[in-house]
Amino acid sequence: MALPIRKILSPIDFGENSLNALDVAAEFARQASATVVVLHVVSLMLTPDEMPVELYREQEAQAKDKLNQIVAAQLKGLESEIIVHVGDPAKIIVEAAETLGADLIVMATHGRTGISRVLMGSVTERVLRDAPCPVLTVRRPDGMKGLVGSKMTINPVTASPDDTLAEVQTRMRQGRFRSMPVVQDGKLIGIITDRDVREHAGEIDKTGVALVMSKDVMTVKPETSIWDAARLLIDHKVGGLPVVENGQLVGMVTTIDLLKAFVALAH
């Protein structure tokens, strides 16, 4: 590239390929003595008009903690900054590049195909189209396409064992969720469903999540195949599975996520 690289924007979603892309950004930064700005966008499951952004403040705080850990491990010795925003990923990445005056964006591409691309769009393609600077994309291995880690919802909205069922019901209605993982100190300790809430109608203001949640939670790992996850959903008649790695909740995969995955693989 003809112009000097002084600031590199590296959007990451905590998936393996986005962390690989961060390694690439770090190598560019070392060669050019540049600053790496690490950006994570907490994606809204609905549009901002439909869902209050405040619902995602806890996920925003958790993301900042994760970014600090990642930066300490992967960007040691480099000038770096971290940014966390809530909203539409492609729009925020482009706006951040403009605001920061980024010279280069280094990001992973998730390679959506077929109907999935039409319905959801490709974040990478939108950034490539609208970015104010060059964009370097890092492709994921084809083997990732059939794994839960590439299809799960990252930063799922969670409940605390100290929440009341009334608080959980409000979040479920706002997010149109049927279940929510219960997390304490970053670890999954249970799951609460809309059925649990309905069974305590009339007492939800004074009933705590810890008394009602299911503690025996079926989970999957990011490297679980989407076919195995689908079988678990069908066999146990549940609508979603928490995704856990090293004891930490890293995502949630639902029936809808897997249906979209199968449609994409078929095209």
Side-chain angles (χ1 to χ4, degrees):
M1 298 176 185
L3 296 177
I5 299 174
R6 296 287 178 254
K7 189 164 288 188
I8 301 170
L9 178 62
S10 182
I12 68 171
D13 61 9
F14 302 126
E16 181 180 355
N17 201 42
S18 70
L19 298 181
N20 291 340
L22 181 59
D23 285 337
V24 174
E27 187 58 33
F28 269 95
R30 290 188 183 95
Q31 294 179 18
S33 298
T35 297
V36 180
V37 181
V38 187
L39 168 67
H40 176 74
V41 183
V42 179
S43 301
L44 292 173
M45 295 183 70
L46 301 171
T47 67
D49 292 336
E50 296 174 307
M51 178 183 293
V53 172
E54 288 73 19
L55 186 62
Y56 283 84
R57 292 308 179 201
E58 184 176 349
Q59 282 68 32
E60 191 175 6
Q62 292 172 355
K64 287 180 180 177
D65 289 339
K66 289 182 182 179
L67 286 185
N68 281 320
Q69 294 172 16
I70 290 167
V71 165
Q74 294 187 228
L75 301 182
K76 190 177 298 184
L78 293 173
E79 291 290 329
S80 62
E81 303 172 24
I82 66 169
I83 302 174
V84 178
H85 283 302
V86 179
D88 176 71
K91 180 179 178 182
I92 289 177
I93 291 168
V94 171
E95 290 178 349
E98 292 172 344
T99 302
L100 294 166
D103 301 300
L104 176 67
I105 299 172
V106 180
M107 64 185 296
T109 175
H110 294 283
R112 287 193 178 98
T113 58
I115 291 176
S116 178
R117 174 178 291 174
V118 174
L119 294 178
M120 300 181 66
S122 164
V123 171
T124 308
E125 284 184 357
R126 291 168 61 194
V127 173
L128 282 166
R129 183 186 66 223
D130 299 330
C133 62
V135 180
L136 175 65
T137 60
V138 179
R139 295 185 63 83
R140 70 180 179 192
D142 288 343
M144 284 292 292
K145 291 183 179 179
L147 303 185
V148 163
S150 66
K151 306 302 178 185
M152 67 185 183
T153 297
I154 299 171
N155 296 312
V157 175
T158 61
S160 162
D162 299 323
D163 289 337
T164 65
L165 295 187
E167 292 172 316
V168 168
Q169 184 183 67
T170 298
R171 277 179 241 164
M172 283 185 173
R173 287 178 174 173
Q174 290 174 333
R176 301 177 188 175
F177 310 134
R178 295 182 60 189
S179 63
M180 289 174 60
V182 183
V183 174
Q184 188 172 44
D185 298 326
K187 293 191 175 182
L188 179 73
I189 61 170
I191 195 162
I192 186 90
T193 68
D194 55 353
R195 179 182 294 179
D196 297 327
V197 176
R198 290 196 305 271
E199 288 178 351
H200 291 78
E203 301 178 337
I204 61 174
D205 289 320
K206 56 185 179 181
T207 303
V209 167
L211 296 175
V212 176
M213 69 182 188
S214 299
K215 296 180 181 179
D216 186 15
V217 186
M218 184 186 319
T219 65
V220 291
K221 297 179 180 180
E223 60 267 27
T224 300
S225 77
I226 58 176
W227 292 273
D228 287 342
R231 290 189 193 99
L232 286 173
L233 290 173
I234 293 169
D235 291 345
H236 296 274
K237 297 180 174 61
V238 294
L241 296 167
V243 185
V244 175
E245 187 172 39
N246 298 323
Q248 301 286 313
L249 179 73
V250 296
M252 190 82 176
V253 64
T254 67
T255 304
I256 296 299
D257 293 329
L258 295 180
L259 284 173
K260 289 176 179 176
F262 293 137
V263 169
L265 289 173
H267 288 74

